[in-house]
């Protein structure tokens, strides 16, 4: 802030404090560039990343859901698990969640564990896609679960090829 120095009503100089914000601006720009890079990665990866709260409601679904299931990420976040998965897959997922919560309650589980689950999910056109989900808990500072993160990819073609190979043998 600069203040003029007036003597007898005439300008005689200025007094002020200058703060160098160059480093702060560099840091802000580096953060912006980093956010853009990670946003580009999330927007362009083939796998789908989802985040759910501990009530099993979606809080984030990556834009790659459009390629995988035909929904926008906004539409996918609004869906319930019942709308996403076939009944059989919903049962599998519920069982896995119960097992994981029991492990958490035991206090002996590896907090960095990843659970891999195959489930069938509905596409917007009504068809089914077979997904391999890599699930892990998001944790707070006390290492308590506060959410679930999933990285999922389409294994439909691989499963068909495995089935065709089994039939041909």
């Amino acid at each position: 802030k600069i203040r003029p120095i007036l003597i007898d009503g005439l300008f005689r100089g200025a007094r002020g404090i200058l703060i160098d914000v160059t480093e702060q601006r560099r840091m802000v720009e580096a953060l912006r560039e980093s956010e853009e890079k990670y946003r580009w990665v999330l927007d362009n990866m083939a796998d789908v990343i989802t985040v759910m709260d501990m009530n099993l409601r979606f809080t984030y679904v990556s834009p790659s859901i459009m390629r995988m299931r035909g929904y926008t990420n906004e539409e996918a976040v609004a869906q319930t698990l019942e709308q996403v998965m076939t009944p059989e897959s919903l049962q599998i997922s519920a069982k896995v969640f119960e097992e994981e919560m029991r492990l958490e309650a035991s206090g002996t589980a590896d907090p960095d564990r990843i659970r891999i689950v195959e489930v069938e999910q509905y596409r917007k056109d009504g068809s089914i896609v077979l997904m391999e989900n890599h699930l892990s808990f998001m944790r707070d500072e006390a290492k308590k679960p506060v959410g679930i993160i999933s990285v999922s990819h389409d294994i439909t073609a691989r499963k068909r090829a495995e089935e065709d190979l089994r039939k041909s043998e």
Side-chain angles (χ1 to χ4, degrees):
K1 185 173 185 178
I2 298 177
R3 293 188 177 162
I5 298 173
L6 302 175
I7 299 176
D8 296 328
L10 299 173
F11 179 78
R12 298 291 181 205
R15 178 176 33 191
I17 299 171
L18 299 175
I19 300 172
D20 184 1
V21 295
T22 306
E23 186 60 27
Q24 181 182 2
R25 287 193 182 200
R26 275 192 206 122
M27 289 172 44
V28 168
E29 181 62 20
L31 179 60
R32 186 191 61 74
E33 289 173 4
S34 177
E35 286 175 348
E36 284 179 7
K37 184 189 322 178
Y38 288 112
R39 174 64 48 203
W40 185 89
V41 169
L42 280 175
D43 288 351
N44 291 286
M45 66 186 303
D47 290 349
V48 174
I49 296 177
T50 59
V51 177
M52 295 189 321
D53 63 21
M54 294 305 290
N55 294 315
L56 304 179
R57 287 188 299 256
F58 293 103
T59 58
Y60 174 81
V61 178
S62 63
S64 51
I65 195 71
M66 178 62 86
R67 287 188 298 277
M68 192 83 64
R69 294 184 44 236
Y71 292 97
T72 66
N73 53 326
E74 292 87 3
E75 290 171 325
V77 165
Q79 290 183 309
T80 64
L81 286 178
E82 290 81 7
Q83 294 170 310
V84 171
M85 293 184 204
T86 64
E88 298 82 14
S89 292
L90 192 58
Q91 286 181 326
I92 291 167
S93 296
K95 182 180 175 208
V96 166
F97 184 70
E98 289 172 15
E99 289 170 2
E100 290 298 315
M101 292 311 292
R102 273 198 299 276
L103 276 171
E104 283 298 312
S106 76
T108 61
D110 176 6
D112 298 322
R113 69 190 180 280
I114 296 174
R115 186 80 182 252
I116 300 172
V117 181
E118 292 179 7
V119 295
E120 294 178 325
Q121 296 185 359
Y122 297 114
R123 287 189 172 117
K124 195 170 188 175
D125 67 8
S127 64
I128 292 176
V129 58
L130 186 57
M131 304 281 273
E132 182 177 84
N133 297 336
H134 296 240
L135 306 161
S136 58
F137 284 117
M138 296 171 57
R139 298 180 180 278
D140 63 14
E141 299 79 27
K143 299 290 185 188
K144 299 290 181 207
V146 294
I148 301 165
I149 187 164
S150 172
V151 178
S152 307
H153 56 273
D154 182 348
I155 59 170
T156 306
R158 184 184 87 198
K159 287 296 187 175
R160 280 191 194 130
E162 289 171 1
E163 183 62 27
D164 290 347
L165 181 60
R166 265 195 295 279
K167 286 180 182 176
S168 70
E169 295 174 343

